[in-house]
Amino acid sequence: MKYVQLKTVRDLLMLVASAPNASVIQHLESNGSHLYFIVGGTLHEVFLYFVKEKTPLGGNFITYNSYSGQVGSNEKVVHEPNVSSFPVVEIKSQDLLPEELLSKVENL
């Protein structure tokens, strides 16, 4: 598995919004960091697109206002013009991301 660290949560939202097969963002707390990510790739390679945050974003949805460019979070889906809501899936435990990859990401 290869990883791609994105610069901001907005970048992750743009990727999710433009991908036909990705509609949720996954959240994993690991060693005090908060990883927000999606998994994608090709038939031969798997990619982890992620953003690492020091504090959780809060809420069950990450919102993006395409008119103002504002990124936010909310407990519920926002039904407003120009606002897209992306659900955040909380991961309790996992074996998708190997410990080696998590330790690499922790040092970024």
Side-chain angles (χ1 to χ4, degrees):
M1 179 182 289
K2 301 208 182 232
Y3 67 86
V4 178
Q5 183 177 17
L6 303 172
K7 191 172 181 179
T8 66
V9 172
R10 182 183 184 281
D11 296 325
L12 185 63
L13 291 175
M14 295 296 97
L15 189 59
V16 172
S18 65
N21 60 349
S23 60
V24 301
I25 297 170
Q26 299 179 58
H27 172 236
L28 174 67
E29 185 176 356
S30 176
N31 294 324
S33 293
H34 296 270
L35 300 178
Y36 292 89
F37 65 93
I38 61 170
V39 177
T42 67
L43 292 174
H44 305 289
E45 195 80 55
V46 177
F47 297 100
L48 176 75
Y49 297 93
F50 76 95
V51 175
K52 182 176 149 185
E53 296 287 324
K54 291 181 182 180
T55 58
L57 297 176
N60 295 319
F61 295 87
I62 298 175
T63 58
Y64 174 68
N65 185 314
S66 60
Y67 181 74
S68 68
Q70 182 179 5
V71 174
S73 62
N74 206 310
E75 290 298 322
K76 298 178 182 178
V77 173
V78 176
H79 297 287
E80 293 180 17
N82 302 316
V83 176
S84 299
S85 296
F86 301 93
V88 175
V89 175
E90 297 289 339
I91 298 174
K92 182 176 179 179
S93 70
Q94 57 88 35
D95 67 357
L96 173 70
L97 308 177
E99 213 33 65
E100 177 186 335
L101 179 65
L102 284 174
S103 64
K104 241 188 223 184
V105 167
E106 287 301 318
N107 294 323
L108 295 176

